[in-house]
Amino acid sequence: MKYQELEKTKEYKYGFTTDIESVKAPRGLNKDIIRFISKIKKEPEWMLNWRLKAYARLQSVKEPNWQKPKYPKINYQNLYYYSAPKSVKNKPKNIDEVDPKLIETYAKLGIPLKEQEKLSGIAVDAVFDSVSVATTFKKKLTEKGIIFCPISEAIQKHSDLVKKYLGSVIPITDHYFATLNSAVFTDGSFVYVPEGVRCPMELSTYFRINASQTGQFERTLIIADKGSYVSYLEGCTAPMRDENQLHAANVELVAFDDAEIKYSTVQNWYPGDKDGKGGIYNFVTKRGVCRGKNSKISWTQVETGSAITWKYPSCILQGDNSVGEFYSIAITNNHQKADTGTKMIHLGKNTKSKIISKGISAGHADNTYRGLVDISKNASRARNYTQCDSLLMGNKCGAHTVPYIKNKNSSAIVEHEATTSKINEDQLYYCNQRGLDQEEAVSLIINGFCKEVLQQLPMEFAVEAQKLVDISLEGSVG
Amino acid sequence: MLEIKNLQVSINNKQIIKGLNLTIKPGELHAVMGPNGSGKSTLANVLSGKNGYEISGELNFNGKSLKKIPTEKRAQRGIFLAFQYPLEIPGVNTNNFLKTSLNSIRKAKGEKEIDSLSFLKLVKEKTSELGIDEKILSRQLNVGFSGGEKKKNEILQMKILDPNLSILDETDSGLDIDALRIIAKGVNSSRNKKKSFLVITHYQRLLDYIKPDFVHVLSDGKIVKTGCSELAEEVEKTGYKKLN
Ligand SMILES: Nc1ncnc2c1ncn2[C@@H]1O[C@H](COP(=O)(O)OP(=O)(O)O)[C@@H](O)[C@H]1O
Ligand SMILES: [Mg+2]
């Protein structure tokens, strides 16, 4: 690659802004704003009351402060909690009616929405600021009884399902950001896969933050009924801005007997500039419950963006023989910070969990793996295997591993392995000697380091993720 | 092909090579023998362009100075080093590495990238020619390879990349007779009037299988004696000490 081309790719590719007229709620957080959101989404009364309950709760809880990356105080009264393109107000019935500007935005992000250009084999829900703007392949999924729609639509059309499961995994009292999200969440995806159905395609949501000074409060709920299977993937990007923007999502997964949910994230929010100015605060609560026996939930995340990433996708292994997995790549460069990991809560017998975490730090970045393996008294013969590998590039970055283990059952087996290494000069030399230049050599070694996690991604996304890994680290080795 | 004049090399203010002269012509195979610590690997590393050395003297390859050329460019121009201690790279498939490597070199030469099918054919041909088990190629690069497998893998890479100058750094050390034969076969089958070799070894044993045109004895950073194959036998009998 020529030097100039390299410079170009080093920039954040998705940093553009879409110039579109939007409808916003006034700034600030209060009951009226919540009523505004609920009303504009045409929500039933129970939903409004649920939000208001969360809001009341919020008044008595404090923001947590135990995480490693600290951030300046967020003025919650100064944020916008709702912003939507004007054209989405009267929701278009099919994709041909969607504002061409939005279609163009997603096309630029590599997500074609138009009927003729749809990605084959992947159904997409596109969320722009606070609303879903389009969902593809709806009909094909409906034929199988699968519901895949914006959660705002599900609240209207599948009220009983939402009412039953919303907050059943992450209660509104959980912690500050979960409570905040419960009060003001705007959109996200809803998935229901009926008993015995294997979802025939990847389901995917693409989150885009566009408006400035706006918080994005995503809410996603996925329910896999007995013996069903679904693979879901989310992607995220945002424009380049000097301000820090908040994305505080709640994602809940429920898997019944013999069901499997595979949830993958490719997170590429704007990371801030070279000096650490701007970027997204990605404070996310993700939790799944393996309610039924033999159920399985598998989280895979590739976290390359955001100024601060703070999340622990977790599994509550309630059903006997249920399985929880967490595969993670967290890459921090320049001044990015990440504090991420998982919690595996073993409640049922013979429950198994596996944690594979790969942290890569470059520049002045700081990367923490924090994880909990909690084995309850009744979880006989539970097993956990944890492997945390950290790779440092340069001398100014940091890597930390904070594993907590609580084991109350003597028949359980918990294994933990951790390594921290520097990118090895001799490995680079070996690759150079075989004709690979520095960038190629770094890419090869890093991709090797991340292999176990990249392999977990659906095929269509593995290549993209691999490229993203390369781009995130470009220029970090001399 | 290769011309080294009054080469002096230091690392961390310690001089390791102290005025070395060596010329290798196309088609020649030179053996360098020497005791541990005499600077053999340093010489190999300096030729392939490893960072961190302070170098003076002349270093020419095909008439052009190598001194400012980075490692990968030297590799692309046909210098190959079989490492004394091949590196392990976890998660990287050996086949994939070989293909990436071959394509980097082809691209640099302005040739088209090799397609998967032709590559597979090439690998099949070379592994069976050498009698190497193809299975090692589906494993992670050198990870968990035995000493012998690592060295065989180096020779396989040499065969596939088809360099002009091959430097073998103690490729024979620690090998059993069968593995040694594979290494020798790899070298002998590549010899022709265009290809040159610098075979670094600690023992004379390898030279029973590979007939050198010249043998040099390296001691304390200098070539203290040059001769033909008989010199290797002499070294084996009398030891390195006598030659100082
Ligand atoms: N990085 C280094 N710093 C200091 N001394 C070194 C370094 N690398 C090699 N040496 C020294 O240089 C000498 C030659 O080493 P080497 O070329 O590896 O010898 P050989 O391959 O002949 O056994 C040895 O004395 C070794 O200790
Ligand atoms: Mg040596």
Side-chain angles (χ1 to χ4, degrees), chain A residues 234-392:
Chain A
E234 61 168 353
C236 341
T237 58
M240 284 150 94
R241 289 220 173 82
D242 287 348
E243 56 180 305
N244 291 111
Q245 280 184 282
L246 179 64
H247 171 89
N250 279 10
V251 174
E252 297 175 281
L253 314 182
V254 183
F256 287 94
D257 290 3
D258 306 296
E260 179 177 348
I261 302 174
K262 191 172 159 59
Y263 190 108
S264 314
T265 303
V266 177
Q267 186 264 107
N268 186 23
W269 294 120
Y270 177 53
D273 70 6
K274 279 208 297 291
D275 306 314
K277 198 164 189 199
I280 302 290
Y281 291 157
N282 186 37
F283 299 167
V284 169
T285 308
K286 287 183 164 156
R287 199 175 299 158
V289 58
C290 284
R291 277 236 200 142
K293 59 176 170 39
N294 308 319
S295 55
K296 179 175 175 184
I297 289 178
S298 180
W299 298 100
T300 303
Q301 59 174 27
V302 178
E303 305 281 329
T304 63
S306 298
I308 301 176
T309 295
W310 186 12
K311 59 185 284 208
Y312 312 95
S314 302
C315 298
I316 300 167
L317 303 171
Q318 187 182 336
D320 290 348
N321 311 319
S322 60
V323 177
E325 290 176 342
F326 174 73
Y327 296 93
S328 170
I329 298 171
I331 299 182
T332 49
N333 196 357
N334 298 319
H335 289 266
Q336 282 178 279
K337 294 177 175 69
D339 191 325
T340 184
T342 182
K343 290 189 270 186
M344 293 292 175
I345 317 288
H346 292 255
L347 302 176
K349 295 183 178 54
N350 292 316
T351 46
K352 279 202 204 91
S353 64
K354 183 170 170 189
I355 300 170
I356 307 284
S357 161
K358 307 279 178 178
I360 302 168
S361 256
H364 297 264
D366 202 65
N367 207 321
T368 300
Y369 168 82
R370 191 186 301 275
L372 168 68
V373 176
D374 186 341
I375 296 179
S376 74
K377 254 198 344 251
N378 298 326
S380 312
R381 297 176 304 280
R383 292 202 66 150
N384 163 265
Y385 174 74
T386 300
Q387 188 189 323
C388 293
D389 299 317
S390 308
L391 192 68
L392 295 167

Side-chain angles (χ1 to χ4, degrees), chain B residues 41 84 169-170:
Chain B
S41 291
Q84 182 172 6
D169 188 2
E170 293 204 31

Side-chain angles (χ1 to χ4, degrees), chain A residues 424-438 440 444-445 447-449 451, chain B residues 45 48 50 71-72 75-76 79-81 83 88-92 97 101 104 142 154 157:
Chain A
N424 185 322
E425 289 295 325
D426 286 337
Q427 286 177 335
L428 287 173
Y429 168 51
Y430 188 67
C431 295
N432 294 152
Q433 211 300 305
R434 298 298 185 257
L436 279 67
D437 67 24
Q438 203 70 347
E440 284 177 309
L444 186 95
I445 293 168
N447 276 298
F449 177 77
K451 181 74 164 284
Chain B
N45 287 335
S48 75
K50 190 179 183 182
T71 306
E72 67 271 16
Q76 290 160 6
I79 296 181
F80 178 87
L81 170 61
F83 281 59
E88 298 186 2
I89 308 187
V92 173
F97 177 74
S101 168
S104 308
N142 291 326
E154 294 290 289
Q157 292 179 52

Side-chain angles (χ1 to χ4, degrees), chain A residues 112-304:
Chain A
L113 296 173
K114 275 200 212 141
E115 199 61 34
Q116 316 78 278
E117 297 156 8
K118 278 185 307 194
L119 300 166
S120 61
I122 307 159
V124 179
D125 182 22
V127 177
F128 192 85
D129 290 333
S130 310
V131 286
S132 164
V133 295
T135 311
T136 62
F137 284 112
K138 260 189 168 167
K139 198 165 147 254
K140 188 161 177 199
L141 293 167
T142 310
E143 281 165 14
K144 293 228 163 205
I146 297 165
I147 306 168
F148 176 47
C149 67
I151 198 153
S152 51
E153 187 183 320
I155 290 166
Q156 295 171 27
K157 290 194 187 153
H158 310 282
S159 192
D160 41 339
L161 274 175
V162 177
K163 198 170 173 182
K164 195 164 166 194
Y165 295 107
L166 192 73
S168 70
V169 192
I170 306 172
I172 56 175
T173 52
D174 206 70
H175 66 93
Y176 186 86
F177 292 105
T179 307
L180 174 65
N181 175 288
S182 301
V184 300
F185 75 86
T186 43
D187 229 334
S189 295
F190 176 80
V191 178
Y192 173 78
V193 190
E195 193 170 333
V197 172
R198 203 182 154 85
C199 186
M201 56 177 72
E202 301 284 338
L203 303 184
S204 129
T205 304
Y206 196 91
F207 292 94
R208 173 76 178 165
I209 295 178
N210 187 60
S212 68
Q213 294 168 45
T214 302
Q216 190 179 55
F217 299 92
E218 165 212 347
R219 186 100 200 183
T220 287
L221 175 60
I222 300 176
I223 303 150
D225 217 328
K226 289 179 185 170
S228 68
Y229 169 85
V230 63
S231 169
Y232 175 93
L233 183 128
E234 61 168 353
C236 341
T237 58
M240 284 150 94
R241 289 220 173 82
D242 287 348
E243 56 180 305
N244 291 111
Q245 280 184 282
L246 179 64
H247 171 89
N250 279 10
V251 174
E252 297 175 281
L253 314 182
V254 183
F256 287 94
D257 290 3
D258 306 296
E260 179 177 348
I261 302 174
K262 191 172 159 59
Y263 190 108
S264 314
T265 303
V266 177
Q267 186 264 107
N268 186 23
W269 294 120
Y270 177 53
D273 70 6
K274 279 208 297 291
D275 306 314
K277 198 164 189 199
I280 302 290
Y281 291 157
N282 186 37
F283 299 167
V284 169
T285 308
K286 287 183 164 156
R287 199 175 299 158
V289 58
C290 284
R291 277 236 200 142
K293 59 176 170 39
N294 308 319
S295 55
K296 179 175 175 184
I297 289 178
S298 180
W299 298 100
T300 303
Q301 59 174 27
V302 178
E303 305 281 329
T304 63

Side-chain angles (χ1 to χ4, degrees), chain B residues 35-42 84-85 169-170 200:
Chain B
N36 284 330
S38 57
K40 301 186 298 293
S41 291
T42 304
Q84 182 172 6
Y85 304 107
D169 188 2
E170 293 204 31
I200 294 170

